[in-house]
């Protein structure tokens, strides 16, 4: 009965290409370790987050510092390792969503996507809409629960002076960043999904963008019809949420200009200089290529995903235009 949720299409496998859900890997594993996703486990994960915050506030030596990510003898090696660690932790984060959904009997769809210019591993949990809102919250927060537990474990190991302290400090920065990013609801994060479920919204992001578009220019007939058919609950929430949405995009635009572009350019220049200075018969030459590939991989993958999305939108537009053209030809050829 649900056609789409925030423009994530829900359609049978034999539906036309333009009506099929976005690509990815469908995962419907057997329910395993249900206790990990029980109410008790949820309370433990919430307490882990609270205790982690208390520790960072109470113990100055455990407070994260942005420079903690540079824990090796060179900045490039440090950032390369941090990038790989981030990939692994993000992958397990999504696995928690999948396992939590499986515990409720709901399959998931995994894919690599993006939010603006940020590379994102995404678990599409549209099937959760078959459940009451409160039962959706657990699977939606399972990833953040994992991040909170890892953050607390790293802090406790540092406090007990167990393990490589410099590496654990870098893990703390990575996991704290992962949790903070989930608060960026304008990027349709986990917190956004929970918010829409509890507020009873179905297409909040689309409704918000249509309201913002209408405030600066006239909507097309199709967009106006979509907005007119929007549920009243979505419209009521979007009227105040649109300002959060707009402010978030403004901050993202500032970050893109102030940090993202300069850091990407700096990485490219560093790789170029290292390759030019050292010949292909030396280890620094190949190390620079390897580290550069790892460091630039999030940017490259984001660009590939952007091109994939652009091609998909073009295919959908073509699929919509063809039937209209066929109807127009039939009308023109009909006897009068």
């Amino acid at each position: 009965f649900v056609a789409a949720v925030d423009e994530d299409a829900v359609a049978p496998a034999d539906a036309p290409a333009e009506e099929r859900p976005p690509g990815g890997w469908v995962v419907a594993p057997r329910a395993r370790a249900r206790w990990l996703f029980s109410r008790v486990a949820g309370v433990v994960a919430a307490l882990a987050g609270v205790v982690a915050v208390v520790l960072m506030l109470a113990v100055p030596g455990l407070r994260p510092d942005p420079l903690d990510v540079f824990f090796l003898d060179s900045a490039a090696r440090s950032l390369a390792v941090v990038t790989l660690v981030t990939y692994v932790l993000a992958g397990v984060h999504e696995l928690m969503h999948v396992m939590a959904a499986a515990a409720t009997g709901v399959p998931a769809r995994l894919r690599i996507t993006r939010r603006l210019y940020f590379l994102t591993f995404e678990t599409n949990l549209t099937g959760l809409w078959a459940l009451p809102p409160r039962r959706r919250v657990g699977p939606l927060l399972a990833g953040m629960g994992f991040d909170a537990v890892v953050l607390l474990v790293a802090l406790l190991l540092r406090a007990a002076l167990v393990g490589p302290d410099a590496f654990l400090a870098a893990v703390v920065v990575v996991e704290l960043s992962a949790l903070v990013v989930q608060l960026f609801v304008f990027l349709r994060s986990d917190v956004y999904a929970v918010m829409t479920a509890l507020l009873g919204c179905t297409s909040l992001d689309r409704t918000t963008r249509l309201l913002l578009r209408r405030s600066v220019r006239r909507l097309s007939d199709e967009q106006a019809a979509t907005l007119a058919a929007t549920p009243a609950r979505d419209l009521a929430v979007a009227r105040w949420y649109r300002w959060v949405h707009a402010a978030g995009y403004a901050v993202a635009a500032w970050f893109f200009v102030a940090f993202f572009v300069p850091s990407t350019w700096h990485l490219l220049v560093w790789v170029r200089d290292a390759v030019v200075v050292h010949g292909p018969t030396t280890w620094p030459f190949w190390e620079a290529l390897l580290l550069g590939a790892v460091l630039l991989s999030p940017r490259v993958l984001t660009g590939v995903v952007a091109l994939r999305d652009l091609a998909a939108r073009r295919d959908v537009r073509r699929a919509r235009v063809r039937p209209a053209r066929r109807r127009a030809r039939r009308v023109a050829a009909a006897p009068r």
Side-chain angles (χ1 to χ4, degrees):
F1 296 100
V2 178
V5 177
D6 265 338
E7 297 184 336
D8 285 336
V10 183
D14 57 352
E18 66 273 17
E19 297 179 6
R20 292 177 187 169
W25 303 277
V26 177
V27 182
R30 295 179 180 178
R32 301 181 186 276
R34 288 179 181 268
W35 59 271
L36 279 175
F37 312 103
S38 62
R39 291 185 179 180
V40 174
V43 172
V44 170
L47 288 176
V50 173
V51 173
V53 172
V54 171
L55 278 175
M56 289 185 288
L57 292 176
V59 184
L62 297 180
R63 294 173 188 172
D65 187 292
L67 298 181
D68 287 340
V69 297
F70 302 104
F71 63 98
L72 295 177
D73 55 353
S74 75
R77 292 174 185 171
S78 299
L79 292 178
V81 173
V82 167
T83 300
L84 295 175
V85 169
T86 301
Y87 279 148
V88 172
L89 292 175
V92 180
H93 173 109
E94 299 305 324
L95 179 62
M96 293 298 104
H97 286 306
V98 172
M99 294 181 63
T104 63
V106 174
R109 181 180 291 272
L110 294 171
R111 64 173 182 161
I112 298 176
T113 183
R114 66 184 177 89
R115 294 291 183 266
L116 294 180
Y117 48 87
F118 298 108
L119 182 69
T120 305
F121 294 171
E122 180 185 80
T123 304
N124 189 311
L125 297 172
T126 307
L128 290 177
W129 284 85
L131 304 177
R134 290 187 178 181
R135 290 193 62 193
R136 303 175 205 157
V137 172
L140 293 173
L141 290 179
M144 293 183 67
F146 164 76
D147 292 330
V149 171
V150 173
L151 175 62
L152 178 60
V153 170
L155 288 170
L156 291 176
L157 289 176
R158 292 196 67 200
L161 301 178
V162 177
D165 184 71
F167 174 74
L168 292 172
V171 171
V172 168
V173 173
V174 170
E175 286 293 42
L176 184 62
S177 301
L179 287 168
V180 171
V181 166
Q182 296 301 335
L183 300 176
F184 297 167
V185 291
F186 68 98
L187 293 178
R188 293 172 59 189
S189 61
D190 293 351
V191 174
Y192 166 85
V194 173
M195 181 182 73
T196 55
L198 296 181
L199 292 176
C201 300
T202 54
S203 300
L204 179 60
D205 184 74
R206 182 186 64 187
T207 304
T208 300
R209 286 189 280 111
L210 287 176
L211 286 179
L212 290 172
R213 185 187 295 267
R214 190 179 65 177
S215 64
V216 295
R217 66 179 181 178
R218 185 177 179 180
L219 297 178
S220 66
D221 293 340
E222 182 181 359
Q223 291 169 340
T226 300
L227 188 59
T230 299
R233 184 59 179 168
D234 286 65
L235 284 172
V237 175
R239 287 192 178 97
W240 61 262
Y241 173 72
R242 58 180 168 174
W243 305 117
V244 177
H245 188 88
Y249 269 79
V251 172
W254 167 79
F255 182 84
F256 182 79
V257 174
F259 291 94
F260 190 84
V261 172
S263 63
T264 302
W265 178 253
H266 179 75
L267 287 174
L268 289 171
V269 171
W270 175 81
V271 173
R272 183 203 64 187
D273 292 345
V275 169
V276 169
V277 171
H278 304 286
T281 58
T282 63
W283 165 243
F285 175 89
W286 295 105
E287 182 186 37
L289 288 181
L290 178 61
L291 295 180
V294 173
L295 292 171
L296 291 170
S297 61
R299 273 86 163 170
V300 173
L301 287 174
T302 303
V304 171
V305 170
L307 292 175
R308 181 198 67 187
D309 294 344
L310 182 63
R313 285 195 295 268
R314 184 179 57 197
D315 292 342
V316 169
R317 285 196 296 268
R318 288 177 177 174
R320 290 175 177 173
V321 168
R322 288 193 199 104
R325 288 178 176 174
R326 285 196 294 266
R327 287 193 297 269
R329 285 196 294 267
R330 285 196 297 267
V331 170
R336 301 186 180 180

